[in-house]
Amino acid sequence: MFHYQVDERIKTRKFARTCISNYHHLGFLNLSYSGFEELPSSICNLKQLRSLLLLDNKQLKKLPHTICELQSLLELDVSGCSELGELPKNMNRLVSLKFLYLTTKQKSLQESGIQYLESIHFLGFKACENLQMLFEGTCQLTRLRKLEIINCGRLLSVPFGELISLEVLLIQNSPLMSISEKKGGFPSRLRVLSIVNCEQVGELLHSLDESTRTLESFCVYDCPSFTAIPDWLPNRTRLKEIRLIRCPNLRFMPQGIRSLPVLKELRIEHCGELSSRCKPQTGKDWHKIAHIPRIQVDLINIQWTDV
């Protein structure tokens, strides 16, 4: 490992080739913040490699197809590689891969084979500015537990087939309007939903309606277009946490919040009229939330008991 402040002129392609050729038993290789355009094809010689970190390589344009020969690889991170073009087409050969974080200039990932990574647990997309489509047709990401989509400005939908194990979904600064072609068909085991700066938050939440029976944490941040808490939220009997942060046009708290049996924490911050309505004793919505053990409004702990 090298601290990120090491001059990128030191971590060149020649340096990477030297590491690969001299240390065949490497299990962990961090070449983040480096200064080369292409990873040496000899990377395939590191048969025992478990983790390969290449994040924030601003000059990296290509991954060699030989990277798909790393059968023991568990973690691959190329997030922040803003010049990275097409991914190798046989990434489905990374049969042990559990963690994959991507930045790419591609419009579609259909040809990459990522949709066939049956072992993957975490999948993230960051600053994929051209990305319009992930996959079509068959999807075998049946063990995927966490999905992050951050700063993907052209991606409008995620038409996954069966993400039967998905538990955590983060959508940030992306114009997603739906996460499924069929309402109520995805995802069936979702526990944590976090939406940040999403203009189409209403449409997105509507598409989730019947797919959130297992929801435990509901968080919305920086969404001025978020004007009403979805009707289905008070019916989520496993809900433990609600965070509504900097959503200035939220108007009121739904009556059904009173019936959530395990809700332990409510945080409201700079939510305009809603913040005023949730003030203790005098707020019009206080009677709806007074039973919640932990309540914070505009960074002030209104009540905060051990649970």
Side-chain angles (χ1 to χ4, degrees):
M1 292 183 62
F2 296 88
H3 194 272
Y4 68 92
Q5 293 182 345
V6 172
D7 194 321
E8 66 178 21
R9 289 174 295 181
I10 296 175
K11 292 185 288 186
T12 62
R13 190 170 189 269
K14 180 179 179 181
F15 173 78
R17 189 184 300 114
T18 300
C19 288
I20 294 168
S21 61
N22 288 352
Y23 308 109
H24 288 173
H25 300 287
L26 278 176
F28 177 92
L29 180 59
N30 187 344
L31 293 172
S32 302
Y33 310 98
S34 297
F36 49 80
E37 294 186 1
E38 185 176 345
L39 185 69
S41 60
S42 56
I43 188 70
C44 63
N45 293 329
L46 301 182
K47 301 300 183 183
Q48 299 180 37
L49 194 63
R50 302 291 193 272
S51 296
L52 178 59
L53 308 184
L54 299 166
L55 57 152
D56 286 308
N57 283 331
K58 303 302 183 183
Q59 299 181 45
L60 185 65
K61 296 182 178 180
K62 185 179 180 181
L63 292 176
H65 68 274
T66 55
I67 200 173
C68 300
E69 299 178 25
L70 297 175
Q71 303 291 293
S72 298
L73 195 65
L74 300 175
E75 178 183 24
L76 175 62
D77 192 338
V78 290
S79 61
C81 297
S82 53
E83 293 300 315
L84 185 61
E86 289 192 5
L87 300 171
K89 293 185 178 181
N90 294 314
M91 293 192 70
N92 54 295
R93 294 175 60 189
L94 295 170
V95 294
S96 300
L97 199 64
K98 296 185 182 299
F99 179 102
L100 178 61
Y101 216 150
L102 293 172
T103 298
T104 176
K105 298 174 74 172
Q106 289 180 258
K107 293 182 179 180
S108 168
L109 301 178
Q110 182 70 24
E111 301 298 323
S112 67
I114 291 173
Q115 65 270 41
Y116 304 119
L117 290 170
E118 297 184 17
S119 296
I120 202 156
H121 289 178
F122 173 93
L123 181 59
F125 303 96
K126 181 180 180 181
C128 300
E129 297 179 356
N130 300 322
L131 193 60
Q132 299 176 16
M133 182 186 75
L134 296 183
F135 324 116
E136 286 183 331
T138 304
C139 174
Q140 297 177 4
L141 303 178
T142 56
R143 297 182 184 178
L144 185 65
R145 295 176 183 171
K146 184 175 182 178
L147 173 64
E148 289 189 3
I149 300 174
I150 300 174
N151 296 336
C152 295
R154 299 188 181 187
L155 188 63
L156 297 179
S157 65
V158 180
F160 283 173
E162 297 182 1
L163 296 183
I164 59 175
S165 298
L166 191 69
E167 297 180 354
V168 180
L169 175 62
L170 168 63
I171 300 169
Q172 179 175 335
N173 301 331
S174 301
L176 279 175
M177 296 181 67
S178 68
I179 58 172
S180 175
E181 293 177 339
K182 181 180 179 181
K183 182 181 176 182
F186 168 97
S188 60
R189 297 185 182 179
L190 194 66
R191 293 189 304 104
V192 178
L193 174 64
S194 184
I195 301 174
V196 183
N197 192 20
C198 179
E199 187 173 345
Q200 292 82 6
V201 61
E203 293 90 335
L204 181 59
L205 290 173
H206 181 69
S207 75
L208 276 164
D209 192 351
E210 298 300 322
S211 306
T212 54
R213 298 294 179 186
T214 56
L215 197 64
E216 297 178 7
S217 176
F218 177 80
C219 305
V220 181
Y221 302 81
D222 300 302
C223 291
S225 62
F226 188 34
T227 59
I229 294 170
D231 295 336
W232 50 257
L233 191 67
N235 299 323
R236 299 307 176 252
T237 57
R238 299 186 187 181
L239 200 61
K240 298 177 181 179
E241 174 190 45
I242 298 175
R243 295 191 180 194
L244 306 168
I245 311 297
R246 295 180 297 277
C247 299
N249 294 309
L250 275 175
R251 297 187 297 271
F252 62 91
M253 189 67 67
Q255 187 70 28
I257 293 294
R258 301 179 67 179
S259 63
L260 290 173
V262 296
L263 185 60
K264 303 299 183 184
E265 185 173 315
L266 172 65
R267 293 178 186 246
I268 299 170
E269 180 181 331
H270 301 309
C271 287
E273 184 177 352
L274 180 63
S275 292
S276 299
R277 292 176 67 99
C278 289
K279 289 183 178 179
Q281 311 308 327
T282 59
K284 293 182 179 180
D285 286 344
W286 174 250
H287 69 285
K288 301 176 185 178
I289 65 172
H291 66 287
I292 302 172
R294 295 183 175 183
I295 301 175
Q296 185 183 92
V297 178
D298 291 342
L299 302 178
I300 298 174
N301 291 339
I302 302 302
Q303 59 188 27
W304 204 263
T305 60
D306 292 333
V307 293

